[in-house]
Amino acid sequence: MYQTFYRDQTQFYVAVDCIIFGFSEGRLSLLLLKRNMEPAKGQWSLPGGFIEAQESAEVAAARVLSTLTGLDEVYMDQLMLFSKIDRDPGERVLSVAFYALINVADSNREQVRLHNAYWRDLDDLPALIFDHPEMVHSALKRLRIEASTKPIGFNLLPERFTVPQLQALYEAIYGISIDKRNFRKKLQSMPFLVKLDEKDKTSSKRGAYLYSFDKERYEKAKLEGIHFAL
Amino acid sequence: MYQTFYRDQTQFYVAVDCIIFGFSEGRLSLLLLKRNMEPAKGQWSLPGGFIEAQESAEVAAARVLSTLTGLDEVYMDQLMLFSKIDRDPGERVLSVAFYALINVADSNREQVRLHNAYWRDLDDLPALIFDHPEMVHSALKRLRIEASTKPIGFNLLPERFTVPQLQALYEAIYGISIDKRNFRKKLQSMPFLVKLDEKDKTSSKRGAYLYSFDKERYEKAKLEGIHFAL
DNA sequence: TCAAAAGTGTTAAGTTTACACCCATGA
DNA sequence: TCATGGGTGTAAACTTAACACTTTTGA
């Protein structure tokens, strides 16, 4: 019945592009592909692809990321739609950008390699095609805002992490250095950080205590009007 | 040369929807249309329409808003793309939501009336079609975040405004009441608020001093690392 | 003259910043 | 035994929150 109402309207190709920030050894990197298809073959780009008929943008983003890089179950947030007329020099294409911050573990490092994808240091990115630089810039801006109000850092670190690791993450996100005593003080005021009895000795002889993030307690604290900011 | 690469991909109708918050007499309202066309004729909806071939989403939003409500030169920010498969029960349509906060002046009140559009109190909205309630909810959430970091309130008030007006605005946005002494104290620490010699007597016998927002000084303060939060 | 809105200061609590030394351990 | 990274406390500066009375003026 409705199907005919819109028929005079223009239709558009709509793509998704994924801005995946990775954290490893105190540094942020960005997951990029070396395009092996036209347009822009051989150039660097974000993992991206077209939305299909029966997909929401969110579903498409997950599929595209998984297909192109082998990464599954990455929780991405939508950034926004990019729609400048000439953003794709080939043809008119709109693109929804999604972003996420994940831990670059050995497991996914391999995944990624097998797919012609690479983790490139965020401070030393190659030239990117189209408006991808703008997308990355916006995503980083958004990431910083998110990181200061949501425990985005906790989602991304391995399940058990140390305070120095967490601090390094925040330092990487904001590009600043933080006083470790003050940083710990703030952490102590967060009841959803659970100190474990074990230590991680991979980065020092003494070892650093492992912590875990108690999601339930976090949700509870949030309901009661959380005071979160790192 | 490129034009043929994407031809197997699905194309989509892409709409824009405008969430226009209005401020007047201490209250927030939302600009709505009573739809006079299918689908959902007679129901309430956000002003919205399709993106055309040679438009960016931003340009389309401005055109649609102007056409449907008579409001011109409203600076809107993009919220995000809504793309659930069944969000439009008629046909598959993606929609980019844009939002803005403006002053409901007598001038635009008339404009709006002539277009079958209405300012409806935000606390007492009629049922809206499709996923428009979700859009409004997201926009309000975003507006609150923006209002706490950007001088969004200054853009929207009349060019000259009083402190009580500004306070009422922030109270409306956050749905809280604010101590007026503390509020004024914060304002005093903002060097881009200029106190004028004139008073506005429309809401009291005594009259309240008018202020204006000095955009240049604001930009300067921002560059120097602003300390802004209301 | 009085009702109604505008305007004004101080103190206590809490938060943020700056800063320097000891601890544990494996090599 | 010593080099390396992990861990701890305190004081000053600043920010936020709580709180009540006086001023102005048109009706």
Side-chain angles (χ1 to χ4, degrees):
Chain A
M1 55 184 266
Y2 280 127
Q3 274 74 346
T4 60
F5 290 126
Y6 305 146
R7 69 184 162 200
D8 292 337
Q9 301 299 335
T10 303
Q11 295 192 112
F12 300 88
Y13 295 116
V14 186
V16 293
D17 284 300
C18 302
I19 298 131
I20 310 297
F21 297 107
F23 179 69
S24 167
E25 289 162 29
R27 301 188 66 76
L28 284 183
S29 49
L30 181 64
L31 185 59
L32 294 177
L33 294 180
K34 217 164 179 169
R35 284 176 78 93
N36 53 17
M37 57 173 176
E38 294 296 345
K41 185 170 172 176
Q43 292 185 252
W44 292 92
S45 78
L46 296 168
F50 290 95
I51 300 182
E52 294 179 357
Q54 293 307 315
E55 285 177 330
S56 65
E58 285 70 17
V59 166
R63 171 184 55 77
V64 164
L65 185 65
S66 170
T67 306
L68 293 181
T69 70
L71 293 179
D72 277 313
E73 309 198 6
V74 173
Y75 180 76
M76 292 182 274
D77 275 317
Q78 190 190 130
L79 186 57
M80 64 185 293
L81 179 78
F82 289 79
S83 65
K84 285 212 190 91
I85 303 226
D86 297 319
R87 52 170 300 285
D88 183 321
E91 199 162 343
R92 184 78 197 277
V93 178
L94 314 183
S95 179
V96 204
F98 285 83
Y99 71 99
L101 174 54
I102 68 172
N103 185 43
V104 181
D106 294 339
S107 60
N108 59 35
R109 224 182 256 287
E110 277 173 48
Q111 283 294 319
V112 154
R113 264 294 160 79
L114 294 171
H115 285 79
N116 208 34
Y118 300 85
W119 288 109
R120 295 287 311 246
D121 197 304
L122 194 58
D123 295 327
D124 182 30
L125 292 179
L128 301 177
I129 64 165
F130 302 175
D131 53 358
H132 290 191
E134 189 187 344
M135 290 181 176
V136 172
H137 183 254
S138 299
L140 188 57
K141 219 166 130 183
R142 179 83 140 258
L143 180 69
R144 286 177 174 154
I145 294 171
E146 290 292 296
S148 69
T149 38
K150 293 180 193 162
I152 190 171
F154 304 108
N155 292 334
L156 106 101
L157 284 171
E159 227 168 85
R160 298 144 80 249
F161 52 87
T162 68
V163 173
Q165 272 169 31
L166 188 60
Q167 179 171 347
L169 168 65
Y170 277 84
E171 291 181 330
I173 293 177
Y174 294 110
I176 56 169
S177 67
I178 303 172
D179 181 282
K180 62 181 172 172
R181 281 168 294 187
N182 294 338
F183 186 79
R184 277 169 191 273
K185 217 183 304 166
K186 261 190 204 156
L187 289 183
Q188 274 160 24
S189 71
M190 299 179 186
F192 41 85
L193 260 194
V194 183
K195 183 174 184 172
L196 307 176
D197 275 337
E198 247 170 301
K199 285 188 161 189
D200 172 298
K201 295 207 167 189
T202 55
S203 73
S204 78
K205 295 156 189 166
R206 179 178 178 176
Y209 278 104
L210 285 162
Y211 286 74
S212 70
F213 176 69
D214 186 329
K215 205 160 189 166
E216 253 178 66
R217 284 205 201 175
Y218 171 70
E219 294 301 334
K220 220 171 102 189
K222 211 167 54 172
L223 288 180
E224 288 163 9
I226 204 178
H227 176 70
F228 181 90
L230 257 170
Chain B
M1 53 185 269
Y2 280 128
Q3 273 75 348
T4 59
F5 291 124
Y6 305 146
R7 69 184 162 199
D8 293 336
Q9 300 299 335
T10 304
Q11 296 193 112
F12 300 88
Y13 295 116
V14 185
V16 293
D17 284 300
C18 302
I19 298 131
I20 310 298
F21 297 107
F23 179 69
S24 168
E25 289 162 30
R27 302 188 65 75
L28 285 183
S29 50
L30 182 64
L31 186 58
L32 293 177
L33 295 181
K34 216 163 181 170
R35 283 176 78 92
N36 54 18
M37 57 173 176
E38 294 294 346
K41 186 171 175 176
Q43 293 185 251
W44 292 93
S45 78
L46 296 168
F50 289 94
I51 300 182
E52 294 177 357
Q54 293 307 315
E55 286 176 330
S56 65
E58 285 70 18
V59 167
R63 172 185 53 77
V64 163
L65 185 65
S66 170
T67 306
L68 293 181
T69 70
L71 294 180
D72 278 313
E73 307 199 6
V74 173
Y75 180 75
M76 291 182 274
D77 274 316
Q78 190 189 132
L79 186 57
M80 65 186 293
L81 179 77
F82 289 79
S83 65
K84 285 211 189 93
I85 303 224
D86 297 319
R87 53 170 298 284
D88 183 324
E91 198 163 344
R92 183 78 197 277
V93 178
L94 313 183
S95 179
V96 204
F98 285 83
Y99 71 98
L101 174 55
I102 68 171
N103 185 44
V104 180
D106 294 340
S107 60
N108 58 36
R109 225 184 256 287
E110 276 173 49
Q111 284 293 321
V112 154
R113 263 293 159 79
L114 294 170
H115 285 79
N116 208 33
Y118 301 85
W119 288 109
R120 296 287 311 248
D121 196 304
L122 194 57
D123 295 327
D124 182 30
L125 292 179
L128 300 177
I129 64 166
F130 302 174
D131 53 357
H132 290 191
E134 188 186 346
M135 290 180 176
V136 173
H137 182 254
S138 299
L140 189 57
K141 219 167 129 184
R142 179 83 140 257
L143 180 68
R144 286 177 174 154
I145 294 171
E146 289 294 297
S148 69
T149 38
K150 294 180 192 162
I152 191 171
F154 304 109
N155 291 334
L156 105 101
L157 283 172
E159 226 168 87
R160 298 146 78 251
F161 51 87
T162 68
V163 174
Q165 272 169 32
L166 188 61
Q167 180 171 347
L169 168 64
Y170 277 84
E171 290 180 332
I173 293 176
Y174 294 111
I176 54 168
S177 68
I178 303 172
D179 181 283
K180 63 181 172 173
R181 281 167 293 186
N182 294 338
F183 186 79
R184 277 168 191 274
K185 216 182 303 166
K186 259 189 206 156
L187 289 183
Q188 275 160 23
S189 71
M190 299 178 186
F192 42 85
L193 260 194
V194 183
K195 183 176 184 173
L196 307 176
D197 275 336
E198 248 170 301
K199 284 188 163 190
D200 171 297
K201 296 208 168 190
T202 54
S203 72
S204 76
K205 296 155 189 168
R206 179 179 178 176
Y209 278 104
L210 285 161
Y211 286 74
S212 70
F213 176 68
D214 187 329
K215 205 159 187 166
E216 254 178 64
R217 284 206 200 177
Y218 171 69
E219 294 301 334
K220 220 172 101 189
K222 211 167 54 171
L223 287 179
E224 287 164 10
I226 203 179
H227 176 69
F228 181 89
L230 257 170

